[in-house]
Amino acid sequence: MSVAVGFVLGLVSGVALAFLLTFLEPVQRRLQQKGRAAFKEDPVYVHVETDRAVIWAGLPPWISGRYFFDKALPDDDPPDACAHWSAWSQERDGRPCGEFELLVTIQAKLDAVVVVNTPIVRIVESREVDGVTATCLAAGGASMNPRRFEIDLDGSDPPMVEYTDGGPGASGPVGFSLATGDVEQFHLWVRAEGRFEHTWSLELPMIVNGRDVRMDLGTFVMVGSGAAASEHLWQGEWQPYETPTYE
């Protein structure tokens, strides 16, 4: 075979291979998409954080906390920082009282366009309780106003959910584009003022790359601020505390 003939055959083979790869690229892409659908791979991870020490990490210690216990307060000393009381109380069968915060983190496994719709909250069980609360009063400071969904467990079933972007008015839904590895976060603030302990479930409906996705984020427990017969502060020991009222 002459050099010229070999050159021509190599050129033709290269052109044919390039054409074949170009033809197969959309086919391969469709197969990958079908494979993802078959395995129900979601383009995003969703994580829910309930530890206030993590939620408010790096910020000034301006967040107070209140925690409900069924019979008696714990015998051991609570942590110095109010944000650390949530994990401490949970380890001792305490529950958030009056207010409860969650931080939702969405991280992209693949490039994604995400629309977060209003979370779906359902009351699983409500029961009247009577116990005691431990209250941690933090130092005063500026109020925190992150973008968040606010959930009221007292008003109706299903509870009312309202979104605010941190500004003066409510708005929504939340939408953003994520490249692989990008992260978005927002808060959920839950409140209850009655005498009931609420067990409630949380689902997060989203549109991810044009596809409906509904994430089950779990079941949570909190107690209304009016459930406790007595309230206490820690001052080297537990001391009765009466919530101040202002006229």
Side-chain angles (χ1 to χ4, degrees):
M1 180 183 297
S2 68
V3 174
V5 172
F7 174 78
V8 170
L9 290 176
L11 182 63
V12 171
S13 299
V15 171
L17 179 61
F19 176 79
L20 180 62
L21 290 176
T22 302
F23 174 77
L24 289 177
E25 182 181 0
V27 177
Q28 182 182 19
R29 189 163 54 245
R30 284 196 296 271
L31 289 174
Q32 288 175 343
Q33 292 172 347
K34 288 184 178 180
R36 289 172 187 159
F39 288 100
K40 296 184 178 180
E41 178 186 0
D42 291 312
V44 296
Y45 297 102
V46 179
H47 174 73
V48 180
E49 183 59 62
T50 60
D51 187 345
R52 301 179 95 210
V54 177
I55 294 173
W56 300 113
L59 296 176
W62 293 342
I63 303 297
S64 298
R66 190 191 236 177
Y67 302 91
F68 178 91
F69 297 88
D70 287 309
K71 296 179 180 178
L73 297 169
D75 294 328
D76 59 329
D77 298 1
D80 292 332
C82 290
H84 292 274
W85 280 39
S86 62
W88 169 83
S89 66
Q90 185 177 19
E91 292 168 358
R92 292 153 182 81
D93 297 325
R95 282 89 78 200
C97 183
E99 295 181 349
F100 183 32
E101 298 126 21
L102 303 92
L103 179 64
V104 177
T105 300
I106 300 175
Q107 182 179 21
K109 293 188 267 184
L110 309 165
D111 292 352
V113 177
V114 181
V115 176
V116 177
N117 290 314
T118 302
I120 298 172
V121 179
R122 292 187 175 90
I123 302 294
V124 177
E125 180 185 17
S126 293
R127 65 185 185 94
E128 191 167 351
V129 292
D130 187 12
V132 294
T133 58
T135 297
C136 183
L137 297 178
S143 61
M144 310 284 186
N145 196 27
R147 61 177 177 176
R148 63 193 181 272
F149 289 96
E150 296 186 354
I151 301 166
D152 182 2
L153 297 182
D154 287 328
S156 60
D157 187 10
M160 293 184 61
V161 181
E162 184 177 61
Y163 174 74
T164 177
D165 60 4
S171 61
V174 188
F176 38 79
S177 296
L178 298 174
T180 302
D182 284 353
V183 172
E184 286 284 344
Q185 292 182 317
F186 57 88
H187 291 242
L188 278 77
W189 288 7
V190 190
R191 62 180 180 269
E193 298 180 355
R195 298 181 57 85
F196 294 91
E197 175 189 87
H198 300 288
T199 301
W200 53 281
S201 65
L202 178 64
E203 290 183 278
L204 187 63
M206 299 182 292
I207 302 172
V208 182
N209 290 342
R211 183 167 64 91
D212 289 333
V213 175
R214 182 173 292 190
M215 293 282 190
D216 180 359
L217 301 187
T219 301
F220 307 90
V221 179
M222 73 170 296
V223 177
S225 58
S230 60
E231 187 172 0
H232 299 77
L233 293 177
W234 178 258
Q235 297 177 329
E237 61 180 0
W238 295 111
Q239 299 285 347
Y241 172 70
E242 183 175 347
T243 303
T245 58
Y246 303 94
E247 296 182 358

